[in-house]
């Protein structure tokens, strides 16, 4: 069974990277506190370093009604 994908707002991505940078925590610890997969936060941090964080998720399709139902259940 495939897990539904999660969409994060641009503001959440930005604030998550800021939290990681200012917290002094390891990437793994920061991701746990933010309830994010480690790889997701890692991708955002690298995108931020390249000045490309705003482009992350730009082409992601919106969730379907079925996917939204699965998340809310």
């Amino acid at each position: 069974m495939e897990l539904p994908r999660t969409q994060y707002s641009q503001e959440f991505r930005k604030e998550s990277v800021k939290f990681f940078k200012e917290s002094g925590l390891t990437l793994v610890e920061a991701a746990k506190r933010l309830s994010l997969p480690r790889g997701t936060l890692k991708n955002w941090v690298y995108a931020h370093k390249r000045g490309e964080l705003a482009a992350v998720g730009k082409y992601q399709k919106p969730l379907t009604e079925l996917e939204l139902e699965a998340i809310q259940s």
Side-chain angles (χ1 to χ4, degrees), residues 8-69:
Y8 303 100
S9 70
Q10 200 54 243
E11 182 67 20
F12 181 75
R13 292 178 184 127
K14 180 181 166 187
E15 291 299 317
S16 296
V17 170
K18 182 179 175 183
F19 170 76
F20 166 67
K21 291 173 69 176
E22 293 177 356
S23 70
L25 298 171
T26 66
L27 188 79
V28 173
E29 292 170 330
K32 282 182 185 178
R33 291 201 185 172
L34 294 166
S35 299
L36 289 170
R38 178 185 70 230
T40 298
L41 183 57
K42 179 181 170 184
N43 290 339
W44 295 350
V45 170
Y46 286 142
H48 175 74
K49 286 181 182 179
R50 294 188 311 265
E52 300 172 357
L53 186 59
V56 173
K58 186 176 180 180
Y59 299 106
Q60 189 173 20
K61 296 185 304 184
L63 295 174
T64 65
E65 286 186 35
L66 186 60
E67 290 171 323
L68 286 172
E69 277 183 31

